[in-house]
Structure formats: C-alpha cells, structure tokens
Amino acid sequence: MDTRQLRYFVAVCEFRNLSHAADHCNTAASALSHHIASLEAELETKLFTRKPRGMEPTAAGLKLLAHAQFILSAFETATSDIKHGLAEVSGNIAIGMPFSVINVIGGGLMRKVIEDLPRVRLLIREGLSALTYNSLLTGEVEAALIFNPPPDSQTLRTPLLEEELFCIGHKDIVGSSDDPIRLEDMAELPLALLQSGSLSRALVDRPAELVKLDSHARIQLASIAGTLSALKEGLACTLAPKVLVSDDLKSGKLVARVVTDPRLVRTLYLVTALDAKPTFLRERITSLVIDLVREAVRGNLWDGARLIES
C-alpha cells in the first residue's frame, strides 16, 4: 500500500465510477482497476461492490476511506510544513569567525541575509580561532569558522580550505623582494605575534620553531587591529595570510614572503556542536557560508587559499 494507491482509492470512492476517477487522476481506467484489485488482495477483503452504473464502497471500503483521507491529509500537511519552513526561515543566529575571514566573506554574508532572509537577525562574532572555539563550546555561537580546531568529541567539523601563511611586513623590515624566507631567518626579524592565533596549531609538530619565534617576538598582541598597526607603522613583521592585508600588498605598502623550512599551512573548518539540534536557520546560514567561501576562492578573492573539495 502506498500514497498513490490511496489517492486512486479515494478518487473511486468520491466519483463512484472507475472512468470518472481515472479522468480525475489523469490515468487509465485499467490502471485504477489494477491498483484497487491489488489493495483488495493485500487487505484480503472487497472494498467495492461492482454495480452496472458504478462502484459502491463496502463497509471495509468506507473504513479504509476514513484512514486514507487522514493519511493523505497528514502527508500533505508534512510536505507543506517542510516547504514552508524552508521558505520562511526566521530567528536569531550567532556565527563566529576570525577577522581575516570576515574581511573576505563578511560583507557578502550580511548582504545575503538582508536581501534574502528578512526575518533573520544575524550576529557575527569576531574572534581569534581559539576564542571562537571556546564560544562554540559554551553556546555563545551556533556555528563557527575556525582555523585548525583542536581534536575533540564534542564538535562536527567540515574542512573548507587550506591557507598558506606568509612573513608579512614593511619592506624596510622584510626586504623589497617577495623571495621565500626560512622560518629561522624570520625569527631574527622584529616580530609582532598574536598570543592566540595561527602559530600554535600551524607549528604543532614543530614546537622548537614555535618557541624560537615566541622568544624573539618583541611585541605580542591579542588584537588584529594592533597587529595591523605594527605592520603599517613599520615596527615589526608577522606571520599571517595575505587576505589580512590584501589592499596593502597590492599597493606595495607591505611585502609578503613565503615561509619555508617548514612551509606553514592552516586549514579552515566550519564547526558546529555535535549534539546541537538541527534547525532550518542554522542549515541555511551554514550553507550560505560554505557557498561564499567557495565563491571567494574560485573568484581569486582569497589569495593563498586552496579549496578542499568534499
């Protein structure tokens, strides 16, 4: 028994005539007759009394009619509810992401919400990856874009892209050439490093290099704005992605040099709580985020990044 058979059965009950019911269902009378016969065989009882001028439901047929009408009504309600829910996404949602990611996709995400989701209120919470990870665990944000999140059993993560880190600074510090620079040579330059950022995870397998960089850093910051100020004032260089200062690199105010020995790459993940109940809103917003990230990389707006195709 399936919904198509039930629809055919209800039509025959309503029209009391096989041909008229077949016209209503846009099918052949022989097909309807076959489905009715299959129902009767499955239920092991007669559902109609065949008469010269039509078909009359039996007592069993009338009982099945009540069930069929309820089932079909519930089916249509479920379909409508799902479609309505997808079309009328609403509510409040908080998404966490680093400054460099906001710099690339933040404007596009806000525009999409304003134009396509008028009943949604979006909060974008900026933070370094370590802080954003903690915000996700405490429920301050429902989803987050995080570079190299630590392994755990509490979150579900989807890798989106790999991003290379560069030695970035004023030419008076890093030189005017964009030739590669070894990590140990970078450690001898004036450094401004984020306290909680890309380094610890990018160098998780090279603790000695991490210690060396940290020990040589004259300035440590917990602020992207402070790091940018140090770069633009020519006070220090830093380890960062190109998208952090893309305009200054294009204008020649800053120089980016590939770091080697080791070459440093970090992975951006979309992260959600593993036990979070699915909602239309979060699914819609995370889908938008993924699309925007892919569009940015494919459109060459995310310099130094490579998509991870799933």
Side-chain angles (χ1 to χ4, degrees):
M1 186 185 302
D2 56 34
T3 55
R4 182 174 61 173
Q5 285 181 319
L6 291 179
R7 287 194 179 95
Y8 289 167
F9 168 75
V10 169
V12 175
C13 287
E14 290 176 349
F15 287 95
R16 300 293 202 274
N17 182 285
L18 204 61
S19 296
H20 294 167
D23 290 340
H24 175 75
C25 295
N26 195 29
T27 190
S30 58
L32 244 65
S33 180
H34 172 75
H35 283 292
I36 297 300
S38 295
L39 272 176
E40 291 179 327
E42 182 178 347
L43 297 173
E44 299 180 352
T45 187
K46 288 290 183 182
L47 299 174
F48 293 96
T49 300
R50 276 71 172 174
K51 295 185 176 181
R53 294 190 176 182
M55 301 174 68
E56 288 293 329
T58 63
L62 290 175
K63 193 165 189 177
L64 178 60
L65 176 63
H67 286 296
Q69 289 172 329
F70 177 80
I71 292 169
L72 292 175
S73 176
F75 185 80
E76 290 172 2
T77 298
T79 303
S80 175
D81 188 44
I82 297 301
K83 289 182 177 178
H84 180 76
L86 290 173
E88 297 294 327
V89 173
S90 63
N92 301 338
I93 187 167
I95 303 292
M97 60 184 75
F99 173 85
S100 62
V101 177
I102 295 175
N103 203 29
V104 181
I105 70 165
L109 179 59
M110 289 183 279
R111 181 179 296 279
K112 285 284 188 182
V113 170
I114 289 171
E115 293 180 351
D116 300 339
L117 302 171
R119 300 179 63 189
V120 171
R121 187 176 185 184
L122 173 68
L123 168 63
I124 298 178
R125 185 182 293 275
E126 179 190 331
L128 301 174
S129 286
L131 300 177
T132 301
Y133 174 75
N134 290 332
S135 295
L136 180 72
L137 295 183
T138 58
E140 294 178 63
V141 297
E142 290 190 44
L145 290 169
I146 300 174
F147 285 105
N148 298 89
D152 64 37
S153 59
Q154 301 169 270
T155 60
L156 179 66
R157 65 273 309 272
T158 303
L160 300 181
L161 60 79
E162 289 183 340
E163 182 180 54
E164 190 162 16
L165 300 176
F166 294 79
C167 172
I168 297 177
H170 193 275
K171 63 181 179 181
D172 292 341
I173 293 178
V174 303
S176 57
S177 169
D178 60 0
D179 290 342
I181 181 172
R182 295 187 304 167
L183 189 65
E184 63 178 89
D185 294 330
M186 181 182 170
E188 303 301 322
L189 301 176
L191 291 173
L193 298 179
L194 287 168
Q195 278 187 323
S196 177
S198 57
L199 281 179
S200 59
R201 295 299 300 168
L203 289 173
V204 67
D205 297 324
R206 308 289 288 266
E209 281 85 349
L210 176 60
V211 170
K212 189 171 184 179
L213 281 178
D214 276 338
S215 64
H216 281 70
R218 294 287 305 278
I219 303 171
Q220 287 192 326
L221 304 114
S223 164
I224 295 294
T227 303
L228 294 175
S229 294
L231 296 180
K232 293 177 182 180
E233 291 293 328
L235 301 175
C237 64
T238 195
L239 187 66
K242 284 185 175 181
V243 292
L244 188 67
V245 289
S246 54
D247 290 339
D248 291 312
L249 291 175
K250 290 176 183 177
S251 67
K253 292 180 181 178
L254 296 175
V255 176
R257 300 179 64 180
V258 173
V259 178
T260 60
D261 300 325
R263 196 156 183 160
L264 301 179
V265 175
R266 62 183 185 176
T267 303
L268 180 67
Y269 292 82
L270 174 66
V271 187
T272 56
L274 190 60
D275 60 355
K277 181 181 178 181
T279 65
F280 286 128
L281 177 54
R282 186 169 63 251
E283 289 177 354
R284 184 69 178 275
I285 293 297
T286 53
S287 178
L288 278 177
V289 166
I290 292 172
D291 288 344
L292 288 167
V293 167
R294 289 173 176 166
E295 289 171 9
V297 176
R298 289 169 180 158
N300 298 318
L301 301 177
W302 202 314
D303 196 7
R306 180 186 67 82
L307 284 177
I308 299 174
E309 300 290 352
S310 57

